Protein backbone atom coordinates (compact mmCIF):
# COMPACT_ATOMS: atom_id res chain seq x y z
CA UNK A 1 0.00 0.00 0.00
CA UNK A 2 1.35 3.45 -0.96
CA UNK A 3 2.25 5.92 1.78
CA UNK A 4 -0.42 8.56 2.00
CA UNK A 5 1.91 11.48 2.46
CA UNK A 6 2.22 14.64 0.38
CA UNK A 7 4.93 17.21 -0.28
CA UNK A 8 3.67 20.76 0.28
CA UNK A 9 5.38 24.08 -0.22
CA UNK A 10 5.87 26.42 2.73
CA UNK A 11 3.94 29.60 1.90
CA UNK A 12 4.98 31.69 4.89
CA UNK A 13 6.88 31.50 8.19
CA UNK A 14 5.75 33.93 10.91
CA UNK A 15 7.69 34.71 14.08
CA UNK A 16 5.01 34.65 16.80
CA UNK A 17 7.24 35.01 19.88
CA UNK A 18 10.94 34.55 20.65
CA UNK A 19 10.49 30.80 20.74
CA UNK A 20 7.47 30.06 18.53
CA UNK A 21 6.90 30.24 14.77
CA UNK A 22 3.88 29.62 12.60
CA UNK A 23 4.33 27.83 9.30
CA UNK A 24 1.66 28.11 6.59
CA UNK A 25 1.55 25.57 3.76
CA UNK A 26 0.32 25.98 0.19
CA UNK A 27 -2.28 23.31 -0.54
CA UNK A 28 -2.87 22.91 -4.30
CA UNK A 29 -6.44 22.66 -5.59
CA UNK A 30 -6.25 18.91 -6.20
CA UNK A 31 -5.32 18.30 -2.54
CA UNK A 32 -7.86 20.67 -0.95
CA UNK A 33 -10.30 17.84 -0.23
CA UNK A 34 -7.59 15.56 1.18
CA UNK A 35 -6.38 18.39 3.42
CA UNK A 36 -9.84 19.51 4.59
CA UNK A 37 -9.85 19.70 8.39
CA UNK A 38 -11.97 20.43 11.41
CA UNK A 39 -10.76 22.85 14.13
CA UNK A 40 -8.49 21.14 16.66
CA UNK A 41 -6.99 18.64 14.20
CA UNK A 42 -3.26 18.31 13.50
CA UNK A 43 -0.80 17.68 10.67
CA UNK A 44 2.09 15.23 10.89
CA UNK A 45 5.32 16.59 9.38
CA UNK A 46 8.54 14.83 8.38
CA UNK A 47 11.56 16.78 9.64
CA UNK A 48 14.79 15.80 7.87
CA UNK A 49 17.42 14.23 10.10
CA UNK A 50 21.01 13.18 9.38
CA UNK A 51 20.71 10.56 12.10
CA UNK A 52 17.45 8.84 11.28
CA UNK A 53 16.45 10.11 7.83
CA UNK A 54 13.48 11.89 9.30
CA UNK A 55 11.75 12.64 12.58
CA UNK A 56 7.92 12.55 12.44
CA UNK A 57 6.12 15.10 14.62
CA UNK A 58 2.48 16.16 14.98
CA UNK A 59 1.56 19.88 15.01
CA UNK A 60 -1.96 21.19 15.55
CA UNK A 61 -3.43 23.49 12.94
CA UNK A 62 -3.67 26.94 14.51
CA UNK A 63 -5.60 28.35 11.54
CA UNK A 64 -9.32 27.79 11.15
CA UNK A 65 -10.80 25.78 8.28
CA UNK A 66 -12.92 28.66 6.97
CA UNK A 67 -9.81 30.87 6.56
CA UNK A 68 -8.54 28.61 3.77
CA UNK A 69 -5.14 28.48 5.53
CA UNK A 70 -3.21 25.42 6.67
CA UNK A 71 -1.00 26.83 9.39
CA UNK A 72 0.79 25.10 12.24
CA UNK A 73 2.52 26.82 15.17
CA UNK A 74 5.66 25.29 16.60
CA UNK A 75 7.19 26.22 19.95
CA UNK A 76 10.80 25.34 20.66
CA UNK A 77 11.18 22.48 23.13
CA UNK A 78 14.40 22.78 25.16
CA UNK A 79 16.91 20.37 23.53
CA UNK A 80 14.15 19.08 21.24
CA UNK A 81 15.25 18.10 17.75
CA UNK A 82 12.31 18.73 15.43
CA UNK A 83 10.83 21.88 16.96
CA UNK A 84 14.22 23.63 16.91
CA UNK A 85 14.95 22.40 13.39
CA UNK A 86 11.65 23.88 12.17
CA UNK A 87 12.19 27.20 13.98
CA UNK A 88 15.84 27.47 12.81
CA UNK A 89 15.59 26.27 9.21
CA UNK A 90 12.18 26.47 7.60
CA UNK A 91 11.49 29.39 5.25
CA UNK A 92 8.97 30.33 2.56
CA UNK A 93 9.49 28.31 -0.63
CA UNK A 94 10.87 25.23 1.18
CA UNK A 95 8.96 21.98 0.92
CA UNK A 96 7.94 19.46 3.59
CA UNK A 97 6.44 16.00 3.53
CA UNK A 98 3.17 15.81 5.49
CA UNK A 99 0.36 13.46 6.40
CA UNK A 100 -3.13 14.95 5.96
CA UNK A 101 -5.10 16.38 8.90
CA UNK A 102 -6.11 13.99 11.62
CA UNK A 103 -7.32 13.85 15.22
CA UNK A 104 -10.42 13.75 17.39
CA UNK A 105 -9.89 16.92 19.51
CA UNK A 106 -12.62 18.77 17.69
CA UNK A 107 -16.09 20.04 18.73
CA UNK A 108 -19.05 17.98 17.53
CA UNK A 109 -21.32 21.02 17.83
CA UNK A 110 -19.75 24.31 16.79
CA UNK A 111 -22.77 26.18 18.25
CA UNK A 112 -22.15 24.85 21.77
CA UNK A 113 -20.89 27.11 24.57
CA UNK A 114 -17.17 26.35 24.81
CA UNK A 115 -14.74 26.57 27.73
CA UNK A 116 -11.24 26.48 26.23
CA UNK A 117 -8.06 25.92 28.24
CA UNK A 118 -4.64 26.64 26.68
CA UNK A 119 -1.25 26.33 28.36
CA UNK A 120 1.75 27.66 26.36
CA UNK A 121 1.87 26.04 22.90
CA UNK A 122 -1.37 24.25 23.82
CA UNK A 123 -3.07 27.38 22.48
CA UNK A 124 -2.65 26.14 18.87
CA UNK A 125 -5.61 23.72 18.56
CA UNK A 126 -7.60 25.84 20.98
CA UNK A 127 -7.34 29.07 18.95
CA UNK A 128 -8.44 27.18 15.85
CA UNK A 129 -11.54 26.03 17.74
CA UNK A 130 -12.15 29.57 19.07
CA UNK A 131 -11.77 31.21 15.65
CA UNK A 132 -14.14 28.70 14.06
CA UNK A 133 -16.75 28.84 16.83
CA UNK A 134 -16.79 32.65 16.76
CA UNK A 135 -17.02 32.84 12.98
CA UNK A 136 -19.29 29.88 12.24
CA UNK A 137 -21.03 29.10 15.54
CA UNK A 138 -23.45 30.92 17.81
CA UNK A 139 -22.42 29.96 21.37
CA UNK A 140 -20.29 31.74 23.95
CA UNK A 141 -16.55 31.06 24.07
CA UNK A 142 -14.39 31.44 27.17
CA UNK A 143 -10.61 30.96 27.02
CA UNK A 144 -8.40 30.45 30.07
CA UNK A 145 -4.84 30.95 28.74
CA UNK A 146 -1.84 30.23 30.98
CA UNK A 147 1.70 31.31 30.11
CA UNK A 148 5.11 31.65 31.72
CA UNK A 149 5.25 35.43 31.19
CA UNK A 150 3.96 38.17 28.90
CA UNK A 151 6.60 37.59 26.20
CA UNK A 152 5.61 33.95 25.80
CA UNK A 153 1.94 34.64 24.97
CA UNK A 154 1.38 33.33 21.43
CA UNK A 155 -1.42 35.04 19.43
CA UNK A 156 -1.83 37.88 21.97
CA UNK A 157 -2.79 40.40 19.24
CA UNK A 158 -5.19 38.01 17.45
CA UNK A 159 -6.93 37.25 20.72
CA UNK A 160 -7.38 40.98 21.42
CA UNK A 161 -8.86 41.42 17.93
CA UNK A 162 -11.22 38.47 18.36
CA UNK A 163 -12.45 39.87 21.68
CA UNK A 164 -13.01 43.28 20.04
CA UNK A 165 -14.94 41.64 17.18
CA UNK A 166 -17.08 39.45 19.47
CA UNK A 167 -17.33 41.35 22.78
CA UNK A 168 -20.56 39.64 23.82
CA UNK A 169 -19.46 36.12 22.94
CA UNK A 170 -15.71 35.85 23.61
CA UNK A 171 -13.92 36.21 26.94
CA UNK A 172 -10.20 35.66 27.43
CA UNK A 173 -8.66 35.24 30.87
CA UNK A 174 -4.86 35.44 30.78
CA UNK A 175 -2.88 33.81 33.56
CA UNK A 176 0.83 34.67 33.83
CA UNK A 177 2.98 32.45 35.99
CA UNK A 178 5.49 35.32 36.42
CA UNK A 179 2.75 37.44 38.03
CA UNK A 180 0.23 35.03 39.55
CA UNK A 181 2.29 31.86 40.09
CA UNK A 182 1.12 28.50 38.80
CA UNK A 183 -2.68 28.13 38.59
CA UNK A 184 -3.94 25.83 41.34
CA UNK A 185 -6.44 23.04 40.87
CA UNK A 186 -8.77 24.70 43.38
CA UNK A 187 -8.55 28.04 41.54
CA UNK A 188 -9.24 26.37 38.18
CA UNK A 189 -12.20 24.58 39.72
CA UNK A 190 -13.66 27.81 41.07
CA UNK A 191 -13.24 29.41 37.64
CA UNK A 192 -14.93 26.46 35.90
CA UNK A 193 -17.91 26.57 38.28
CA UNK A 194 -19.23 29.57 36.34
CA UNK A 195 -19.22 27.58 33.11
CA UNK A 196 -20.39 24.19 34.33
CA UNK A 197 -22.70 23.65 31.36
CA UNK A 198 -20.02 24.52 28.74
CA UNK A 199 -18.01 21.95 26.75
CA UNK A 200 -14.30 21.97 27.67
CA UNK A 201 -11.28 21.58 25.39
CA UNK A 202 -7.91 21.59 27.16
CA UNK A 203 -4.35 21.46 25.81
CA UNK A 204 -1.07 22.34 27.50
CA UNK A 205 1.73 20.98 29.67
CA UNK A 206 0.91 17.73 31.50
CA UNK A 207 0.55 19.27 35.02
CA UNK A 208 -1.80 21.98 33.67
CA UNK A 209 -3.96 19.43 31.87
CA UNK A 210 -4.06 17.21 34.93
CA UNK A 211 -5.16 20.11 37.15
CA UNK A 212 -7.90 21.11 34.69
CA UNK A 213 -9.07 17.51 34.18
CA UNK A 214 -9.28 16.91 37.94
CA UNK A 215 -11.12 20.20 38.50
CA UNK A 216 -13.69 19.34 35.82
CA UNK A 217 -14.14 15.81 37.16
CA UNK A 218 -14.69 17.17 40.67
CA UNK A 219 -17.39 19.42 39.22
CA UNK A 220 -18.93 16.30 37.69
CA UNK A 221 -18.81 17.71 34.17
CA UNK A 222 -19.92 14.74 32.04
CA UNK A 223 -17.30 12.87 30.02
CA UNK A 224 -18.68 13.98 26.65
CA UNK A 225 -18.09 17.65 27.63
CA UNK A 226 -14.43 17.20 28.64
CA UNK A 227 -11.80 16.89 25.91
CA UNK A 228 -8.01 17.06 26.06
CA UNK A 229 -5.12 16.85 23.61
CA UNK A 230 -1.73 15.52 24.73
CA UNK A 231 1.37 16.86 22.98
CA UNK A 232 3.81 13.96 22.70
CA UNK A 233 6.57 13.21 20.18
CA UNK A 234 6.14 10.25 17.87
CA UNK A 235 8.82 7.63 18.36
CA UNK A 236 8.33 5.88 15.02
CA UNK A 237 8.02 6.83 11.40
CA UNK A 238 4.57 6.80 9.80
CA UNK A 239 6.12 8.10 6.54
CA UNK A 240 8.47 5.18 5.86
CA UNK A 241 7.99 2.43 3.36
CA UNK A 242 4.57 1.34 4.60
CA UNK A 243 4.91 -2.07 2.90
CA UNK A 244 7.95 -2.67 5.07
CA UNK A 245 6.31 -1.27 8.18
CA UNK A 246 3.23 -3.45 7.65
CA UNK A 247 5.34 -6.53 6.95
CA UNK A 248 7.36 -5.93 10.10
CA UNK A 249 4.18 -5.44 12.11
CA UNK A 250 2.76 -8.66 10.70
CA UNK A 251 5.86 -10.59 11.74
CA UNK A 252 5.57 -9.01 15.18
CA UNK A 253 1.89 -9.92 15.42
CA UNK A 254 2.65 -13.51 14.46
CA UNK A 255 5.52 -13.67 16.94
CA UNK A 256 3.20 -12.28 19.59
CA UNK A 257 0.52 -14.84 18.85
CA UNK A 258 1.45 -17.26 21.60
CA UNK A 259 2.07 -14.42 24.01
CA UNK A 260 0.08 -11.33 24.99
CA UNK A 261 -1.72 -10.60 21.69
CA UNK A 262 -2.39 -14.26 20.80
CA UNK A 263 -3.95 -15.05 24.13
CA UNK A 264 -6.24 -12.04 24.04
CA UNK A 265 -7.32 -12.12 20.40
CA UNK A 266 -10.33 -14.08 19.16
CA UNK A 267 -8.89 -16.79 16.90
CA UNK A 268 -11.07 -17.23 13.87
CA UNK A 269 -12.95 -15.22 11.30
CA UNK A 270 -14.51 -12.18 12.89
CA UNK A 271 -17.50 -10.33 11.42
CA UNK A 272 -17.15 -6.58 11.67
CA UNK A 273 -19.34 -3.62 10.77
CA UNK A 274 -17.69 -0.21 10.39
CA UNK A 275 -19.18 3.31 10.17
CA UNK A 276 -16.81 5.86 8.67
CA UNK A 277 -17.56 9.27 7.13
CA UNK A 278 -21.17 8.36 6.35
CA UNK A 279 -20.15 5.03 4.78
CA UNK A 280 -21.06 1.62 6.15
CA UNK A 281 -18.79 -1.40 5.62
CA UNK A 282 -19.29 -5.05 6.62
CA UNK A 283 -16.67 -7.81 6.46
CA UNK A 284 -16.70 -11.33 7.83
CA UNK A 285 -13.11 -12.48 7.37
CA UNK A 286 -10.89 -10.60 9.85
CA UNK A 287 -8.54 -13.35 10.97
CA UNK A 288 -7.62 -11.54 14.19
CA UNK A 289 -3.89 -11.65 13.41
CA UNK A 290 -3.62 -8.27 11.73
CA UNK A 291 -4.51 -5.21 13.77
CA UNK A 292 -7.84 -3.69 12.75
CA UNK A 293 -6.31 -0.70 10.92
CA UNK A 294 -4.27 -3.01 8.66
CA UNK A 295 -7.27 -5.25 8.06
CA UNK A 296 -9.40 -2.28 6.99
CA UNK A 297 -6.59 -0.98 4.76
CA UNK A 298 -6.32 -4.40 3.13
CA UNK A 299 -10.04 -4.04 2.28
CA UNK A 300 -9.48 -0.63 0.69
CA UNK A 301 -11.09 1.33 3.54
CA UNK A 302 -9.57 4.82 3.89
CA UNK A 303 -9.27 4.55 7.68
CA UNK A 304 -7.50 7.41 9.52
CA UNK A 305 -4.09 6.94 11.16
CA UNK A 306 -0.88 8.77 11.92
CA UNK A 307 1.71 7.17 14.22
CA UNK A 308 0.61 3.51 14.02
CA UNK A 309 2.17 3.20 17.48
CA UNK A 310 -0.70 3.82 19.86
CA UNK A 311 0.39 7.28 20.91
CA UNK A 312 -1.53 9.87 18.88
CA UNK A 313 -5.23 8.76 18.77
CA UNK A 314 -5.74 9.61 15.06
CA UNK A 315 -7.06 6.11 14.50
CA UNK A 316 -9.50 6.06 17.44
CA UNK A 317 -12.92 4.46 17.01
CA UNK A 318 -15.81 3.70 19.35
CA UNK A 319 -16.80 0.09 19.87
CA UNK A 320 -20.59 -0.08 19.63
CA UNK A 321 -20.92 -3.85 19.94
CA UNK A 322 -18.45 -6.60 20.93
CA UNK A 323 -14.98 -5.85 22.26
CA UNK A 324 -11.38 -5.42 21.16
CA UNK A 325 -8.07 -5.44 23.02
CA UNK A 326 -5.08 -3.20 22.29
CA UNK A 327 -1.45 -4.27 21.99
CA UNK A 328 -0.26 -0.87 23.14
CA UNK A 329 -1.91 2.35 24.34
CA UNK A 330 -0.11 5.53 25.34
CA UNK A 331 -2.93 7.97 24.85
CA UNK A 332 -6.36 6.77 26.03
CA UNK A 333 -7.16 7.02 29.72
CA UNK A 334 -9.39 4.80 31.85
CA UNK A 335 -12.46 6.90 31.06
CA UNK A 336 -11.83 6.75 27.31
CA UNK A 337 -11.60 2.97 27.60
CA UNK A 338 -14.77 2.81 29.68
CA UNK A 339 -16.49 4.86 26.94
CA UNK A 340 -15.56 2.16 24.42
CA UNK A 341 -12.85 4.19 22.64
CA UNK A 342 -10.09 2.03 21.10
CA UNK A 343 -7.05 2.60 18.87
CA UNK A 344 -7.54 0.68 15.64
CA UNK A 345 -3.79 0.65 14.90
CA UNK A 346 -3.39 -1.53 18.01
CA UNK A 347 -6.73 -3.35 17.99
CA UNK A 348 -7.21 -7.12 17.99
CA UNK A 349 -10.65 -8.77 18.30
CA UNK A 350 -11.96 -10.26 21.54
CA UNK A 351 -15.37 -11.28 20.20
CA UNK A 352 -16.69 -13.06 17.12
CA UNK A 353 -18.78 -10.08 16.00
CA UNK A 354 -17.98 -6.40 16.27
CA UNK A 355 -19.46 -3.06 15.38
CA UNK A 356 -17.35 0.11 15.44
CA UNK A 357 -17.83 3.73 14.49
CA UNK A 358 -15.32 6.44 13.63
CA UNK A 359 -17.99 9.08 13.87
CA UNK A 360 -17.72 9.62 17.63
C1 LIG B 1 -1.56 15.71 18.42
C2 LIG B 1 -0.33 16.56 18.72
C3 LIG B 1 -0.34 17.90 18.41
C4 LIG B 1 0.76 18.69 18.70
N1 LIG B 1 0.71 20.02 18.40
C5 LIG B 1 1.76 20.80 18.69
C6 LIG B 1 1.71 22.21 18.40
O1 LIG B 1 0.71 22.71 17.89
N2 LIG B 1 2.80 22.97 18.69
C7 LIG B 1 3.91 22.44 19.27
O2 LIG B 1 4.88 23.19 19.49
N3 LIG B 1 3.99 21.10 19.57
C8 LIG B 1 2.94 20.29 19.28
N4 LIG B 1 3.02 18.95 19.56
C9 LIG B 1 4.25 18.40 20.13
C10 LIG B 1 5.26 18.07 18.99
O3 LIG B 1 4.76 17.02 18.19
C11 LIG B 1 6.64 17.65 19.53
O4 LIG B 1 6.43 16.68 20.52
C12 LIG B 1 7.41 18.83 20.09
O5 LIG B 1 7.63 19.83 19.10
C13 LIG B 1 8.77 18.37 20.63
O6 LIG B 1 9.49 17.74 19.60
P1 LIG B 1 11.06 17.88 19.50
O7 LIG B 1 11.53 16.91 18.46
O8 LIG B 1 11.49 19.28 19.36
O9 LIG B 1 11.51 17.46 20.94
P2 LIG B 1 11.76 16.01 21.51
O10 LIG B 1 10.72 15.07 21.15
O11 LIG B 1 12.06 16.18 22.94
O12 LIG B 1 13.05 15.66 20.73
C14 LIG B 1 13.99 14.88 21.24
C15 LIG B 1 13.93 13.57 20.47
O13 LIG B 1 14.51 13.78 19.19
C16 LIG B 1 15.45 12.77 18.96
N5 LIG B 1 16.55 13.37 18.18
C17 LIG B 1 17.54 14.16 18.61
N6 LIG B 1 18.33 14.51 17.57
C18 LIG B 1 17.81 13.89 16.49
C19 LIG B 1 18.18 13.86 15.11
N7 LIG B 1 19.25 14.51 14.63
N8 LIG B 1 17.39 13.13 14.26
C20 LIG B 1 16.30 12.47 14.73
N9 LIG B 1 15.91 12.46 16.00
C21 LIG B 1 16.66 13.17 16.86
C22 LIG B 1 15.93 12.34 20.33
O14 LIG B 1 16.32 10.99 20.33
C23 LIG B 1 14.69 12.52 21.16
O15 LIG B 1 13.89 11.35 21.13
C24 LIG B 1 1.92 18.12 19.28
C25 LIG B 1 1.94 16.75 19.56
C26 LIG B 1 0.82 15.97 19.27
C27 LIG B 1 0.85 14.49 19.55
S1 LIG C 1 -2.40 5.90 14.57
FE1 LIG C 1 -1.64 6.92 16.34
S2 LIG C 1 -2.63 5.88 17.96
FE2 LIG C 1 -3.20 4.76 16.21
Amino acid sequence: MAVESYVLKVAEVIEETNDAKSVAFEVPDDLQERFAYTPGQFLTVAVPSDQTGLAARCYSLSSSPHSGRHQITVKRTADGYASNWICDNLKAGDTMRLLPPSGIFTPKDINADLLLWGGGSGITPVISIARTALEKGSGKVVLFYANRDETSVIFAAELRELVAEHPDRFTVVHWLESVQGLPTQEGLKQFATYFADYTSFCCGPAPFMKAVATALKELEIPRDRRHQEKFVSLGGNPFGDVEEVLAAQKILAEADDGEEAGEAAFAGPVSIEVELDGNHYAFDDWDGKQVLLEFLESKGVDAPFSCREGNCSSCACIVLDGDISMKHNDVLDAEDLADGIRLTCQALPLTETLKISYNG
Side-chain angles (χ1 to χ4, degrees):
M1 177 169 302
V3 182
E4 193 192 30
S5 66
Y6 303 87
V7 175
L8 295 187
K9 196 188 250 188
V10 173
E12 194 180 3
V13 176
I14 302 162
E15 184 145 345
E16 301 287 359
T17 63
N18 284 343
D19 59 2
K21 287 191 179 174
S22 289
V23 179
F25 296 98
E26 258 178 54
V27 178
D29 288 348
D30 60 335
L31 288 182
Q32 283 291 339
E33 201 179 323
R34 197 69 200 87
F35 275 77
Y37 63 100
T38 52
Q41 288 195 310
F42 62 87
L43 296 172
T44 306
V45 304
V47 173
S49 157
D50 292 343
Q51 278 179 25
T52 56
L54 66 85
R57 294 288 184 269
C58 304
Y59 290 102
S60 304
L61 285 141
S62 52
S63 49
S64 53
H66 65 268
S67 69
R69 278 175 82 82
H70 290 78
Q71 174 187 292
I72 58 172
T73 302
V74 180
K75 183 169 179 175
R76 290 180 191 273
T77 295
D79 302 323
Y81 174 68
S83 58
N84 286 298
W85 186 92
I86 290 173
C87 289
D88 288 338
N89 294 290
L90 219 53
K91 55 187 187 320
D94 290 348
T95 54
M96 279 205 107
R97 186 165 283 280
L98 292 96
L99 297 182
S102 197
I104 55 171
F105 184 71
T106 183
K108 286 194 188 76
D109 178 8
I110 206 62
N111 297 313
D113 292 330
L114 300 175
L115 177 54
L116 309 178
W117 309 85
S121 61
I123 189 65
T124 53
V126 159
I127 196 168
S128 176
I129 294 172
R131 284 177 168 140
T132 310
L134 292 168
E135 183 68 28
K136 298 289 174 193
S138 55
K140 302 230 183 222
V141 182
V142 173
L143 167 64
F144 182 97
Y145 186 15
N147 277 287
R148 200 178 49 231
D149 55 36
E150 213 177 331
T151 61
S152 56
V153 181
I154 309 173
F155 303 127
E158 283 92 330
L159 288 170
R160 273 196 300 276
E161 281 164 25
L162 282 171
V163 171
E165 282 168 31
H166 306 274
D168 302 331
R169 289 182 56 214
F170 190 32
T171 308
V172 178
V173 174
H174 284 281
W175 187 281
L176 298 180
E177 192 189 325
S178 57
V179 180
Q180 291 142 295
L182 286 170
T184 63
Q185 191 179 301
E186 196 47 42
L188 294 170
K189 186 174 160 188
Q190 275 175 19
F191 177 75
T193 339
Y194 296 100
F195 311 103
D197 51 356
Y198 284 36
T199 301
S200 270
F201 286 84
C202 177
C203 184
F208 175 71
M209 292 215 294
K210 189 161 180 233
V212 172
T214 310
L216 297 177
K217 274 185 209 166
E218 283 180 6
L219 289 172
E220 297 180 1
I221 311 291
R223 178 70 186 81
D224 63 348
R225 287 201 279 111
R226 286 187 273 125
H227 305 273
Q228 54 176 13
E229 183 80 311
K230 293 177 193 160
F231 278 6
V232 290
S233 288
L234 301 185
N237 166 23
F239 293 93
D241 182 335
V242 170
E243 288 294 346
E244 276 176 25
V245 173
L246 291 184
Q249 281 181 354
K250 199 164 176 204
I251 291 162
L252 258 181
E254 281 163 7
D256 281 350
D257 267 356
E259 300 170 22
E260 47 173 325
E263 272 167 28
F266 180 85
V270 172
S271 301
I272 179 157
E273 289 180 54
V274 180
E275 291 169 9
L276 169 65
D277 295 337
N279 295 314
H280 185 266
Y281 305 90
F283 306 107
D284 57 9
D285 56 349
W286 181 17
D287 66 9
K289 288 185 178 149
Q290 284 175 305
V291 289
L292 180 53
L293 173 63
E294 288 172 24
F295 173 72
L296 295 177
E297 287 175 325
S298 74
K299 295 290 183 186
V301 177
D302 190 16
F305 73 90
S306 179
C307 69
R308 291 179 178 272
E309 293 177 340
N311 58 20
C312 78
S313 84
S314 300
C315 65
C317 70
I318 297 188
V319 178
L320 302 174
D321 191 28
D323 202 2
I324 50 188
S325 67
M326 287 184 290
K327 292 161 66 165
H328 182 72
N329 164 34
D330 259 351
V331 67
L332 302 179
D333 61 23
E335 278 186 79
D336 295 323
L337 298 177
D339 288 345
I341 302 177
R342 298 288 186 274
L343 306 172
T344 57
C345 74
Q346 302 296 318
L348 293 170
L350 286 174
T351 50
E352 193 174 357
T353 57
L354 271 161
K355 186 169 181 188
I356 66 152
S357 172
Y358 281 94
N359 304 338

